Structure formats: C-alpha cells, structure tokens
Amino acid sequence: SPYISIAKSLKLDDTTTSSIANLICIYHNLYIFASKLIKIFKSCHYSNNYFYFCRKFSIVMALSKLEISYWTNTYKDQQGALYSEDGKTLLTVPTDLISYNVAEGTENINHRCFRNCTSLKEVSLPASLKRIGKSAFNNCLALETIIIPDNVYSIGESAFENCFHLHTAFLPSAMIEIPKRMFFNCKSLHEITFPEKIFCVLQEAFYGCLSLQHVSLNEGLEMIFEKAFKHCESLQEFIMPDSVRFMEEETLANCTSLKSIVLSDAIEDFGFSCCPHCPNIESVDMRPSEEFIKQTHSNWDFFPKRNPKNSINPYPSNYFWKDGDNLYCGIDGLSSVTLVCSFIKGTEYTVPAFVNKVRAGAFINAPQLRTLILPEGSISIDDTLHFWTQLDTIKFYNRQTSKICLII
C-alpha cells in the first residue's frame, strides 16, 4: 500500500511523530493517512499500543525511499517545490535551494517548509501571502534579507530562528504580535522597526540578536514578555512608547552595551530582573514630560502628580520616577515608596529615609557597591541577602535619629 511510505520532504522529527494528535494539527487530513496505518498494524496486534504505533510510524518514514506524499492532488514546480492542488499552500521545498520565488497566489507557507535550507540566500514572497507557519525558515543559515508582504497577519513561532546571516527584515503592517522566538539567534540582524499594530512581543523573540543596534517600538505596544531582547549585546538604547504597561523578567538581560532606558509613562512594573547583567547602564528615565520630577524628593510637594479626568487619586497605583542613579516606585498614592533598582557607581550608598522598601536585587546593577546603608525595616534580610553577594557591609539606621543601629 502507498500509505506505508511518506515523502522524505516532510522532514518530520521524533518529537513531531510522538503523537497522532500533533501530526493531525500539523498536516492537513493526516487522520486519513493515520487510519490506514492503524488498519495495517491491527493485523500485527499492535493497534492498542499507542506508543508502539508512533515508533512504527517513525521507522516507516525513516526507511522510506519513495517520494510519495500523503497530500492528495498536489503538484511540483520546476524547482521541486510541492504545492497544494489549488496553489494556495506551499507545502515543502528541496533543502538544496539557493534562491526561490514563491508562486503568486500562494497564501500559506507550511510549517517547516524551508527548514534546514542552509544554502538559501534569497527568497521572494508574493503579495498574496497571508500566513507563515512555525519554523518555516528555521536554520536557513545563508538567508540575508526577508521582506514579508503587508498582507501577512499570522507568523508562527521560531519562523526565522537560527538565520545567522539575516541582517535585514521588513515586517508586515497587518502583523499584531511578534511571535515567540521569531528571530532567535539571528546574530546578524542589526535593526528592526515595529509595524503600528503590534501590541505584544512574545518570549525570546530577539534573543541572541548580537548585532541588533536599533529597535523602533510602535505606539500601541503594551506587553513585552520575558527574555524578548536578552543577549542583544550591541543594543545601546531602549526607548519604550508610552503605551507599554508590562515588561517581564530578563527582557533586557545581558545587553552588555546598553546605556540608556527610557520607561513608558504607563509602566506598571519594572525592576532589576528586567535588565540584569547590564553593567554599562548609565540612565533609566521616564519619557520627558511636565510630570518628570526635577526636584529633590525630600520635599513631598515636589512629587509629580497626574490629574486624569474623573480621578480622585492624582497618583496611579504604581508610579515610577527617576532621581539621580535610582529608580523609585510609589504605590497606592505614595503611601509606600520602593527603591526598585539602582545604577550607582560608588562603593558606598545611603538609601533615603522616605524609602519604605528596597526591592530584592535592587543593586545588582551596581557592581562597585561595597557598603550599603539602609533605613530600618526597608528589607527582609533573609529574603534578599543572597542578591547582594558583592557587598562587604550592610548597615541600618534609625529613621528618626539617623543613627546606625545594626551592622551586618
């Protein structure tokens, strides 16, 4: 039966073949193909053993030398690329391609379609394209430029992962999110501009983009998830639009050239965990506005106030501001003030008395600090001491008398 064989060009790995359910999700109409195999295995008395079936399926594919695909009514072009009968889906291509023009009228590029095309240097995508599948261009090591047509609204995760020589990428205007690991380990990518509809950047989207120097974020972006820009070691400045509300852990971790961060006016949380191991940070600022504080915080009258319409409380629930080398957060109408993170360069620092709490790891980006003087009750020693292993001495002073009352 031809159902025992499957085209090598499917490129299914062990993980993919580990469950029929996954295969059905990845390949159209696979249930037809799977049902035929199950009938065959029934005669071997293994039809009830699910995992044995999966192993058998993998072996069948590995031994297959026939170029028979489960897709019905498909055709190949002159370069050996396989299309669906209606020409709307590019299913798979030979891995030895150097350049390729996807046919006009194509709307979908299948999952892993160009995966491991290590010699592919250029690919032209048609204006008709709407969707690009997961890992579609994964490990296209020689690919240098990608221009994604504006009608593309869906791109799968890891679409361009490990495209080491990709230096230029143009994103479509219809795109609404940067998917997980989209440009993971694209070491040559040096600049990216977000389309205006992007509202979130998912995990590790630009992780390991060592040459990325400039990121232009769009107004309307709201969320940046963990490790999105980790190890972007050439990035020197990161400016958030005012629409950004959330930035997760290690978003800018190990950005060793990063010097300046400009926070969104609407940011609800930001701390040391957003940018650990960034030794060259010189400033963290709020976007310049009338509310940007320019006075000493020893006088509470100088705290910047907001007056949104129909709001009784002039302060947001979490309000961040920068004073010198320190970033503070006022919570619930400034009833509590937290020192979020510090970038001081000296060896000794005294935390101001108006600070109620020092966030764990607040001084992780102050590697020269050796002596820290804190107001009583501002930290829980057991919870935070392990974050400050570079310190030689921690002192506490009484808020009223300013006298040292404890030395660790």
Side-chain angles (χ1 to χ4, degrees), residues 27-28 71 74-77 79-94 97 100-103 105-114 117 120 123-126 129 131-133 136-137:
Y27 299 102
H28 303 296
W71 287 296
T74 61
Y75 72 89
K76 286 186 177 182
D77 66 8
Q79 290 182 273
L82 187 68
Y83 285 84
S84 60
E85 182 183 26
D86 58 10
K88 292 185 177 181
T89 301
L90 175 57
L91 301 172
T92 186
V93 300
L97 289 177
Y100 188 72
N101 295 329
V102 178
T106 303
E107 296 182 1
N108 311 299
I109 292 179
N110 196 38
H111 304 308
R112 305 174 180 83
C113 182
F114 289 87
C117 291
L120 185 69
V123 60
S124 175
L125 305 179
L129 192 65
R131 291 175 290 272
I132 297 175
F137 294 89

Side-chain angles (χ1 to χ4, degrees), residues 40 51 87 166 175 222 224 379:
I40 293 171
F51 297 101
L166 183 67
M175 197 174 182
E222 295 187 10
I224 305 175
I379 67 165

Side-chain angles (χ1 to χ4, degrees), residues 121-355:
K121 290 186 176 181
E122 56 181 352
V123 60
S124 175
L125 305 179
S128 57
L129 192 65
K130 296 180 180 179
R131 291 175 290 272
I132 297 175
K134 295 179 181 179
S135 302
F137 294 89
N138 193 323
N139 286 336
C140 290
L141 306 182
L143 187 65
E144 296 180 352
T145 302
I146 188 72
I147 301 175
I148 305 175
D150 281 340
N151 288 328
V152 174
Y153 63 85
S154 175
I155 300 178
E157 65 181 61
S158 302
F160 300 94
E161 182 173 337
N162 292 333
C163 293
F164 295 154
H165 288 90
L166 183 67
H167 57 75
T168 304
F170 295 92
L171 303 181
S173 58
M175 197 174 182
I176 61 173
E177 70 175 19
I178 306 295
K180 183 177 179 181
R181 297 170 70 97
M182 181 176 181
F183 294 104
F184 186 95
N185 215 19
C186 290
K187 298 179 180 181
S188 300
L189 187 67
H190 58 79
E191 182 176 358
I192 198 75
T193 299
F194 283 21
E196 61 181 11
K197 294 181 181 179
I198 298 294
F199 77 92
C200 71
V201 183
L202 296 184
Q203 295 92 334
E204 301 180 341
F206 297 92
Y207 188 113
C209 292
L210 303 180
S211 302
L212 189 62
Q213 297 180 2
H214 180 69
V215 178
S216 179
L217 305 178
N218 63 299
E219 192 66 46
L221 178 67
E222 295 187 10
M223 296 174 285
I224 305 175
F225 288 90
E226 63 181 326
K227 302 179 183 178
F229 295 93
K230 186 172 182 178
H231 281 294
C232 291
E233 297 178 5
S234 298
L235 190 65
Q236 296 187 26
E237 183 179 57
F238 191 80
I239 301 176
M240 297 184 202
D242 281 339
S243 54
V244 174
R245 297 184 294 113
F246 298 105
M247 192 160 123
E248 285 196 343
E249 292 183 358
E250 298 190 45
T251 300
L252 296 167
N254 299 92
C255 293
T256 52
S257 298
L258 189 64
K259 294 181 179 180
S260 174
I261 301 174
V262 180
L263 294 177
S264 159
D265 198 37
I267 194 75
E268 295 182 14
D269 195 14
F270 180 89
F272 85 97
S273 61
C274 294
C275 55
H277 311 297
C278 297
N280 293 307
I281 289 182
E282 297 174 354
S283 64
V284 177
D285 294 315
M286 302 297 293
R287 185 174 289 276
S289 67
E290 295 179 0
E291 299 169 353
F292 189 73
I293 192 163
K294 297 179 180 178
Q295 306 290 340
T296 174
H297 296 303
S298 60
N299 186 336
W300 292 95
D301 293 335
F302 284 113
F303 274 106
K305 296 183 179 181
R306 299 180 181 181
N307 295 291
K309 294 180 180 180
N310 304 319
S311 176
I312 298 176
N313 182 3
Y315 305 101
S317 58
N318 285 2
Y319 183 63
F320 290 82
W321 76 92
K322 179 75 167 26
D323 179 21
D325 293 317
N326 299 316
L327 183 70
Y328 298 97
C329 176
I331 302 173
D332 297 330
L334 298 179
S335 61
S336 177
V337 175
T338 298
L339 174 58
V340 177
C341 57
S342 177
F343 301 91
I344 60 172
K345 304 299 182 184
T347 59
E348 181 175 304
Y349 178 65
T350 300
V351 175
F354 64 78
V355 172

